[in-house]
Amino acid sequence: MSASQTSDVPTLLVKIFGKDRPGITAGLFDTLAAYSVDVVDIEQVVTRGRIVLCALVTQPADSGEGELRATVHSWADSLKLQAEILSGTGDNRPRGSGRSHVTVLGHPLTAESTAAIASRITATGGNIDRIFRLAKYPVTAVEFAVSGVETEPLRTELATSASHIGVDVAVVSAGLHRRAQRLVVMDVDSTLIQDEVIELFAAHAGCEAEVAEVTERAMRGELDFEQSLHARVKLLAGLDASVVDKVRSEVRLTPGARTLIRTLKQLGYQVGVVSGGFTQVTDDLQERLGLDFASANTLEIVDGRLTGRVTGEIVDRAGKARLLRRFASEAGVPLAQTVAIGDGANDLDMLNAAGLGVAFNAKPVVREAAHTAVNVPFLDAVLYLLGITREEVEAAGLT
């Protein structure tokens, strides 16, 4: 029966709640089947062993409503469940235009922050149609299905208030595209890995503190990236090329990085990295992690030693955005279906060009400009922003 066919017919909302056990759903519908009713809608939730089961059905013919009510209550009593039956007309009211998924990450997720998010949604004219949990570990992640407001104004409202509320919030438009193949492109230093690669090289050259200071200023957007890159690389001149293997062995993946990549790959997504660091490290990461794309700067090596120069086109802020577009074209994925993840000012163009830009434990200037921010130290938390649950990841044996 279509929505238009049920819009004005008498219906009954049958609500069952109590201790969950196998067979409740089958038992309820076996009971209702005796009255030849049609099922209009079903919703079931189980929380900490307690079930809430709602069935919207057409009113039975031949004045059988009273008998149906008595039979359902008798069945529920026999299982020590509670039943409530409400008369009405038609189905749920139509949802408003504009559909979005709002993902909220909390560590922990407090009642206060949940109330604040809900009130912000209401303030935009949005209606919360459904809420369910995506993950309980290592962060609490819940998703709100929202209608009645367009995605962009909702995203703007929640993004500007998320940091004050103390949660991470991502807003994406609903629709089939959410399940389509995507391309995910990440920054490397302090995103895919915990380190700044140039600082690992600098430690072997005895100039780590000097390089780290310049790196920090560049990531905050205080220095031109290309100039700072040349200045830092110059300090590495004379290092033996064998240092490359040492640095590769010192690189530490961010917690959750392997889980993120393995899950995305199993889902058929394509994954790439772009880095202001060096191909001497990203090529190794690409091979180890099975990445589809990788691009970075290249340290020049002559006669077995670093020259203090880089070769080829510089991968800077604008370059990362260009590479995102190039990877998307090669992958056959529309730009709107791309996800970019980064932490520094030189990632901003890429984050803004992507369909979803995620600032990962980022500098304030980046958090304020990105579509959403993730401020927990687990890279696989990004999966929840894509609607992938922790149970799905664990069931696939990918943790």
Side-chain angles (χ1 to χ4, degrees), residues 9-91:
V9 300
T11 52
L12 299 176
L13 175 60
V14 181
K15 299 170 62 179
I16 304 296
F17 37 97
K19 185 177 180 181
D20 188 32
R21 71 196 73 182
I24 290 177
T25 305
L28 173 62
F29 285 97
D30 278 343
T31 303
L32 294 172
Y35 299 91
S36 301
V37 297
D38 294 333
V39 178
V40 179
D41 196 5
I42 309 172
E43 189 80 23
Q44 178 174 307
V45 177
V46 177
T47 304
R48 210 183 68 182
R50 309 295 291 184
I51 187 172
V52 178
L53 171 60
C54 296
L56 185 65
V57 298
T58 54
Q59 191 178 76
D62 302 324
S63 302
E65 181 182 336
E67 184 181 341
L68 180 150
R69 286 174 176 270
T71 304
V72 169
H73 279 289
S74 176
W75 167 80
D77 287 343
S78 72
L79 295 177
K80 297 182 179 179
L81 299 169
Q82 293 178 277
E84 182 181 10
I85 304 175
L86 304 174
S87 300
T89 302
D91 196 351

